[in-house]
Amino acid sequence: MGSLQRAPSFVTGGYKIDVRGTALDVLRRMGAHDAVVASSTQMQGALLVDCEGNVIKRTTGDEFGHRVGGDLEIVRGKLFEILMARTAGVDVIFGHAIASIAQSCDGVEVTFRNGDARTFDFVIGADGLHSNVRRQIFGDESQYLRDLGMYLCVYSVPNFLHLDRMEVQCSGIERVAAIWSTRDAVDAKACFGFAARNQQIDLRDRAQQEETLRTVYADVGWEVPRLLELMPEAPDWYFDIAAGRHGHMGARSGHPGRRRRLLRLTDVWPGLEPCPHRRLRAGR
């Protein structure tokens, strides 16, 4: 059993993740539920403001996150630490990625970009919106990706508003800006979501992405000018499309008669948190 990480080292930080429904049962069966509760964000509330900073509405953290009952919220990096601490017998390989995946009578043949090759019974891809595993098995993402013309950007900024487990959000037509800070966080996170349906933005060009944000939010007041001013100094940077998936993507199987060999791939760059995970299986 192994885990392949494209990043050269353990990646911390990231966005907030809501844990709901079946995921709560999974955490309990893993023996990780209490640890996630103890490390949850414990967001105390949220403020909705207009473009001049006037408070429109105040809500609790759970109301703002649409959490009910036993729902939990935790920062991605902290959840990763908890889950990694509960793995046993797993080889974690950093700084590598898959070059090819092929089905065989013996299982799933995986060749890595450094030339090494191994056989597994299962390959589970948890490598984000632009999944390399999905592309290797099912073809180019354009077959399954539906561009909604929406973009999301998240990066760290100093907590200059001295937020304590609070989020402040300014919403307008086809754009939103927010800043929030979770429990024990030294910095805060700036978050922007906006529509740009008639514009092609290069997802590998941070300079273009920054310029787009300045253009889209040029007339917004509140704390947005300061967030944009701090943007070039952010040590982490996440910018991607908001997308939907369509079409059927089936499973491929390996040989059922042996001890299971599993490869889990998390294909992320340092400082980037993955989009919600989607799993693809090769094996049975």
Side-chain angles (χ1 to χ4, degrees):
M1 179 179 293
S3 177
L4 185 69
Q5 309 287 329
R6 186 174 182 179
S9 60
F10 187 85
V11 178
T12 59
Y15 200 68
K16 297 177 292 185
I17 293 175
D18 283 306
V19 185
R20 316 174 191 267
T22 303
L24 293 168
D25 296 331
V26 171
L27 287 180
R28 293 187 183 96
R29 294 175 65 181
M30 293 178 65
H33 182 266
D34 290 347
V36 173
V37 171
S39 298
S40 61
T41 61
Q42 295 186 4
M43 295 294 285
Q44 298 300 295
L47 301 177
L48 301 180
V49 301
D50 62 21
C51 290
E52 284 72 45
N54 300 309
V55 177
I56 300 172
K57 184 176 182 180
R58 300 173 185 267
T59 72
T60 67
D62 287 341
E63 287 173 340
F64 187 75
H66 305 287
R67 290 181 293 276
V68 297
D71 292 353
L72 298 170
E73 183 181 65
I74 187 170
V75 175
R76 186 209 66 85
K78 190 61 182 179
L79 177 61
F80 197 8
E81 291 177 6
I82 291 171
L83 297 180
M84 285 285 286
R86 282 160 175 76
T87 59
V90 176
D91 297 325
V92 181
I93 305 171
F94 290 100
H96 290 290
I98 289 178
S100 65
I101 302 174
Q103 189 72 58
S104 73
C105 295
D106 296 322
V108 185
E109 306 291 339
V110 175
T111 302
F112 303 105
R113 290 182 182 171
N114 65 353
D116 293 343
R118 291 177 63 179
T119 300
F120 298 90
D121 294 292
F122 294 92
V123 174
I124 301 176
D127 48 342
L129 181 64
H130 308 289
S131 169
N132 178 42
V133 172
R134 182 167 50 237
R135 181 171 62 253
Q136 294 288 345
I137 298 175
F138 299 110
D140 189 84
E141 67 176 23
S142 61
Q143 302 176 66
Y144 311 104
L145 191 67
R146 180 165 57 91
D147 190 346
L148 302 178
M150 304 294 294
Y151 292 85
L152 176 69
C153 181
V154 184
Y155 57 89
S156 293
V157 295
N159 188 4
F160 58 87
L161 292 180
H162 307 291
L163 300 175
D164 179 15
R165 296 165 291 171
M166 289 286 295
E167 180 160 358
V168 187
Q169 183 180 99
C170 173
S171 299
I173 298 175
E174 296 192 332
R175 59 186 178 180
V176 61
I179 180 173
W180 50 268
S181 181
T182 58
R183 184 182 59 170
D184 300 329
V186 176
D187 293 328
K189 293 286 187 181
C191 179
F192 296 89
F194 62 96
R197 296 183 180 87
N198 299 318
Q199 183 176 355
Q200 290 295 112
I201 302 175
D202 188 344
L203 299 180
R204 296 182 180 275
D205 188 341
R206 176 166 171 172
Q208 183 194 12
Q209 295 161 13
E210 290 187 8
E211 186 58 32
T212 300
L213 283 174
R214 294 188 188 97
T215 301
V216 172
Y217 290 89
D219 61 339
V220 181
W222 177 54
E223 299 292 347
V224 168
R226 187 167 185 182
L227 295 177
L228 295 177
E229 180 182 350
L230 293 167
M231 177 172 58
E233 307 302 322
D236 55 352
W237 181 259
Y238 176 82
F239 190 100
D240 210 337
I241 61 173
R245 292 276 163 191
H246 64 87
H248 174 71
M249 295 181 288
R252 299 188 182 184
S253 61
H255 195 281
R258 295 186 319 272
R259 182 174 178 269
R260 298 303 184 190
R261 296 158 297 176
L262 171 70
L263 175 65
R264 177 186 180 276
L265 175 76
T266 304
D267 192 1
V268 296
W269 289 108
L272 299 187
E273 62 274 18
C275 294
H277 291 172
R278 293 167 175 83
R279 293 188 175 184
L280 301 177
R281 291 187 176 88
R284 60 179 175 177

